[in-house]
Amino acid sequence: MQKTTLCALLASTLAAPLAHAENFTGIYAGAALGSVNADHTLSIPGTPIKQDLDSDSQTSFALLAGYGMTINQFYLGAELDWRNGLGESSATFLNGEISTETDGTLGLSVLPGYLINDNLLVFARLAYLEGDMDFEVTNTTNGMSATETDSGNYTGWGLGGSIL
């Protein structure tokens, strides 16, 4: 009798995290805050001119919707998101200043994860984003400036968690 009770107790303990795994399965929507560095390299075709533009870390806000599912203790999700921007960067370039600003982006992410227990999920984010970038060049000698907008794609990664 003791062996049966012990086996039942052990089986229920091992199955307990799986019993609530469906809490992380389904469609969801939300918002996110993140830290972003906008690092760019500008080169002029046909010339040896190449300039790196690096930014300080900035806060990014996102609205997102996705679907996730659990398989035993493992999680796999896919997400679409809109981000308010990926920051600004600037550098001295030739005899002027060049700056960039990335506007809002649309992204697709894959989120592999692991259920620590029935209420805690940890995951990684692998992201692909598309958006517009504004370039502004200002000549410090005569004060003239020019602005150009171009679309681009970006990749990113992150780590996160969810608590029920």
Side-chain angles (χ1 to χ4, degrees):
M1 181 69 171
Q2 269 186 321
K3 288 182 181 179
T4 306
T5 306
L6 183 58
C7 288
L9 180 61
L10 182 60
S12 67
T13 302
L14 293 174
L18 303 178
H20 298 285
E22 68 271 3
N23 292 338
F24 290 104
T25 296
I27 296 173
Y28 62 90
L33 286 175
S35 178
V36 176
N37 277 342
D39 297 332
H40 309 286
T41 300
L42 175 69
S43 60
I44 299 174
T47 71
I49 297 172
K50 185 175 180 179
Q51 178 67 46
D52 291 328
L53 295 98
D54 300 323
S55 75
D56 293 331
S57 181
Q58 299 180 27
T59 301
S60 174
F61 175 77
L63 297 175
L64 50 95
Y67 179 82
M69 60 189 280
T70 54
I71 303 166
N72 296 323
Q73 292 295 109
F74 296 96
Y75 174 83
L76 183 61
E79 208 171 83
L80 292 172
D81 64 57
W82 170 84
R83 294 186 184 274
N84 70 325
L86 297 181
E88 302 173 4
S89 60
S90 64
T92 302
F93 186 70
L94 298 176
N95 61 340
E97 179 80 16
I98 184 165
S99 62
T100 66
E101 179 180 358
T102 305
D103 299 330
T105 60
L106 292 175
L108 175 64
S109 296
V110 174
L111 298 107
Y114 186 77
L115 291 165
I116 300 297
N117 62 40
D118 57 347
N119 294 320
L120 177 60
L121 169 69
V122 293
F123 59 87
R125 173 183 304 276
L126 306 171
Y128 175 80
L129 307 164
E130 294 234 352
D132 291 331
M133 181 181 295
D134 297 326
F135 294 92
E136 182 175 4
V137 178
T138 304
N139 185 317
T140 54
T141 305
N142 59 20
M144 296 179 65
S145 66
T147 302
E148 176 70 28
T149 299
D150 192 14
S151 61
N153 52 54
Y154 315 91
T155 57
W157 64 272
L159 299 174
S162 182
I163 299 173
L164 291 179

